Amino acid sequence: CGFLSTELLTSGYSSWWDMMMEKITPCAMMDGVRRSAVFVLFVNRDTLSRKYVVLEISVAIAEGRTIVMIYETDSRRDATNLCIFRVF
């Protein structure tokens, strides 16, 4: 995530990454998603088990944001079964 954020910034795009926030709160996370044009979701087998990730996804859907999912395919890094994400 950090690498992608840095690459976007150096390419002239603005980027917001919740882990770079000074104080991470649910309200701040929701505001960050609302202010974004595109929501990028890094998906592994544990993604939907994290309540704040689910919150961010919910806000992105409610706000009509484009959601770009990047799937982990390396089983050594918690690859996911893509079938669980068909709802999106």
Side-chain angles (χ1 to χ4, degrees):
C1 295
F3 176 78
L4 179 59
S5 182
T6 301
E7 288 297 308
L8 288 169
L9 288 171
T10 59
S11 298
Y13 297 95
S14 63
S15 174
W16 173 83
W17 179 30
D18 60 1
M19 298 309 293
M20 295 300 293
M21 296 172 56
E22 190 172 307
K23 185 174 182 181
I24 301 173
T25 66
C27 288
M29 291 165 51
M30 290 187 296
D31 186 53
V33 173
R34 284 186 188 110
R35 291 185 289 118
S36 299
V38 176
F39 180 77
V40 179
L41 179 64
F42 290 89
V43 180
N44 66 29
R45 68 176 170 204
D46 297 323
T47 299
L48 293 180
S49 68
R50 299 181 195 126
K51 69 178 182 179
Y52 292 116
V53 173
V54 173
L55 172 67
E56 290 177 327
I57 293 168
S58 299
V59 172
I61 291 169
E63 295 291 326
R65 298 300 178 257
T66 298
I67 300 175
V68 175
M69 291 190 258
I70 299 174
Y71 297 94
E72 180 59 67
T73 58
D74 187 339
S75 61
R76 297 170 297 172
R77 298 178 175 264
D78 295 330
T80 187
N81 177 347
L82 299 182
C83 294
I84 65 171
F85 291 96
R86 290 179 60 196
V87 70
F88 297 108

